[in-house]
Amino acid sequence: MMSMTPEIEFCGVSKRFGTGPLVLDGLDLKVAPGEFISVIGPSGCGKTTFLRIAAGLSQPSGGEIRFGTRTDGARPELAFIFQEATLLPWRTVLGNIELPLRLRGERRARRRKTAERLAAEVGLGAAGDFHPRQLSGGMKMRVSLARALSLSPDVLLLDEPFGALDAITRNRLNEDLLALHRREGWSAFFVTHSVTEAVFLADRILVLAAEPARVETIIPVDLPRDRTLALRESDEFHDAVAEATRRMHNILAR
Ligand SMILES: Nc1ncnc2c1ncn2[C@@H]1O[C@H](COP(=O)(O)OP(=O)(O)O)[C@@H](O)[C@H]1O
Ligand SMILES: [Mg+2]
């Protein structure tokens, strides 16, 4: 099950829609296996476009994306998580989690077993037979996360996944996401509007700036990889958030 997580490399990736302005302008970024990248920037600056290009859902207008190779020689598996959990209301939690495996033709007993394991891993072990209407927003997002993990992805793409949740639920999900990340070792691109969340999760923060020139900058997060509740409350963490905020203001005000 454990495949080597490939790295992903953006080489001069540009994007414009039709005759519109450049949304991404020659983006270069090399992501190490298992690296966690937070993506931040104002509305409309191209965060979703960047994720869609990474996922192959949209073609770059210039440049290219290179993927590493898994130990089994296959192309890396990518999974997308959206702000809306997009669950099928008539399916149970387990039924939703196993859907990608079902579409892939995996046998019922096997996919059910995987879904049960994943439900437990995201903290929904007791809710497998619930329907989406019986779940809180945080629980729905946990189902969405488990569903994405069902295909054993090498790269996880998360587009403002926790943006609609209350702060406490969001912090919990941040910690649980990092626990899963530690265990499974995928690379991640995580779009957020919260500097605190971006710093808490990331090895590096990709800042996308809109007007006027679409400048991109990378801010390294110099904190221990083990991001605990204690770390979140430390001066070290508050300093890192203040520093990232200052640098982002410099970039976005240019
Ligand atoms: N399919 C599309 N056709 C035309 N323009 C688009 C399309 N998708 C996004 N855009 C434009 O590209 C820019 C970046 O959009 P988007 O990536 O959604 O920003 P963000 O996710 O940062 O809010 C915006 O100006 C948006 O209007
Ligand atoms: Mg977006």
Side-chain angles (χ1 to χ4, degrees):
M1 189 67 80
M2 196 69 182
S3 59
M4 195 193 88
T5 309
E7 65 174 28
I8 181 171
E9 186 176 1
F10 299 80
C11 309
V13 169
S14 299
K15 180 69 179 180
R16 78 166 80 236
F17 293 95
T19 55
L22 270 179
V23 176
L24 299 174
D25 186 7
L27 187 98
D28 291 310
L29 178 66
K30 199 170 182 171
V31 179
E35 198 175 10
F36 204 117
I37 306 286
S38 290
V39 183
I40 204 164
S43 272
C45 73
K47 302 180 295 295
T48 296
T49 301
F50 171 74
L51 285 198
R52 288 178 51 84
I53 289 177
L57 299 171
S58 174
Q59 292 308 308
S61 321
E64 63 169 333
I65 299 175
R66 298 189 191 130
F67 291 99
T69 320
R70 303 184 354 169
T71 44
D72 62 3
R75 192 181 187 283
E77 185 77 44
L78 284 83
F80 223 117
I81 296 175
F82 304 94
Q83 179 164 1
E84 292 291 324
T86 62
L87 306 179
L88 296 180
W90 60 88
R91 286 194 186 278
T92 62
V93 164
L94 291 178
N96 271 284
I97 295 173
E98 72 182 4
L99 195 63
L101 296 173
R102 183 189 163 99
L103 295 175
R104 184 177 274 192
E106 196 160 296
R107 288 199 337 275
R108 188 185 147 77
R110 232 186 107 149
R111 63 179 199 245
R112 196 33 68 120
K113 210 169 153 214
T114 304
E116 282 167 356
R117 173 178 58 78
L118 288 166
E121 283 180 7
V122 299
L124 292 178
D129 294 328
F130 287 16
H131 283 83
R133 65 173 179 280
Q134 297 170 281
L135 307 177
S136 67
M139 290 165 92
K140 284 182 190 157
M141 192 42 73
R142 288 173 185 277
V143 178
S144 178
L145 187 56
R147 182 181 54 191
L149 295 176
S150 71
L151 294 176
S152 305
D154 303 290
V155 182
L156 217 52
L157 306 158
L158 306 104
D159 199 356
E160 302 185 45
F162 309 149
L165 304 175
D166 67 87
I168 291 172
T169 303
R170 186 178 195 163
N171 289 352
R172 264 253 170 80
L173 275 159
N174 280 179
E175 283 145 29
D176 292 353
L177 181 68
L178 286 187
L180 288 164
H181 174 249
R182 252 195 313 279
R183 185 151 16 127
E184 312 246 332
W186 18 265
S187 308
F189 291 96
F190 187 102
V191 174
T192 178
H193 282 291
S194 158
V195 183
T196 310
E197 184 173 48
V199 170
F200 186 70
L201 294 173
D203 297 302
R204 290 187 292 162
I205 303 173
L206 172 66
V207 184
L208 295 179
E211 308 301 333
R214 277 84 180 163
V215 194
E216 299 91 12
T217 302
I218 300 279
I219 302 178
V221 177
D222 197 13
L223 291 171
R225 188 58 261 186
D226 203 13
R227 310 282 164 88
T228 57
L229 195 61
L231 180 82
R232 194 196 282 280
E233 288 162 356
S234 68
D235 288 344
E236 193 184 8
F237 180 68
H238 293 300
D239 290 349
V241 173
E243 167 70 8
T245 304
R246 193 182 57 71
R247 290 189 58 176
M248 264 171 232
H249 282 159
N250 286 344
I251 295 159
L252 299 177
R254 270 213 291 265

